[in-house]
Amino acid sequence: DKAEEYIAKAEALSPKNAEIEVLKANFSSARLVIDPMSRWQKYGALFEQHLADAAKLDPTNPRVDYLKATNLFHTPEAFGGGKIK
């Protein structure tokens, strides 16, 4: 909850910032892993949306691809992820 406060403050200082969108994606991911079975629909969608927004703002930002790849790596193979992907 504290992170959400700081993200809001950062966004107020610098709206439309790719790095803040990446932070918001990280925040969504952290919220999701608390209870993946009941939170994946809400926070998984937010994670993807924040990364898409970050990519639009700065297509060269390597953290977008890194977070996508990390997420895919840690997604079980039964759900389309895994180390092979």
Side-chain angles (χ1 to χ4, degrees), residues 7 11 19-29 46 50:
I7 290 170
E11 193 166 37
E19 292 301 325
I20 294 172
E21 290 299 324
V22 169
L23 282 175
K24 289 160 77 174
N26 267 325
F27 175 77
S28 297
S29 180
L46 286 172
H50 293 308

Side-chain angles (χ1 to χ4, degrees), residues 5-82:
E5 287 178 41
Y6 289 122
I7 290 170
K9 286 179 183 180
E11 193 166 37
L13 294 171
S14 180
K16 305 285 185 193
N17 184 310
E19 292 301 325
I20 294 172
E21 290 299 324
V22 169
L23 282 175
K24 289 160 77 174
N26 267 325
F27 175 77
S28 297
S29 180
R31 286 277 171 121
L32 183 144
V33 298
I34 292 169
D35 185 3
M37 294 303 289
S38 67
R39 293 182 173 205
W40 71 270
Q41 283 185 311
K42 177 180 179 179
Y43 292 106
L46 286 172
F47 174 82
E48 293 294 333
Q49 182 60 52
H50 293 308
L51 288 181
D53 292 346
K56 278 188 227 168
L57 292 168
D58 181 4
T60 64
N61 188 330
R63 282 165 285 288
V64 173
D65 292 330
Y66 175 78
L67 283 179
K68 284 181 181 179
T70 302
N71 183 56
L72 189 60
F73 180 80
H74 291 290
T75 298
E77 288 181 22
F79 296 107

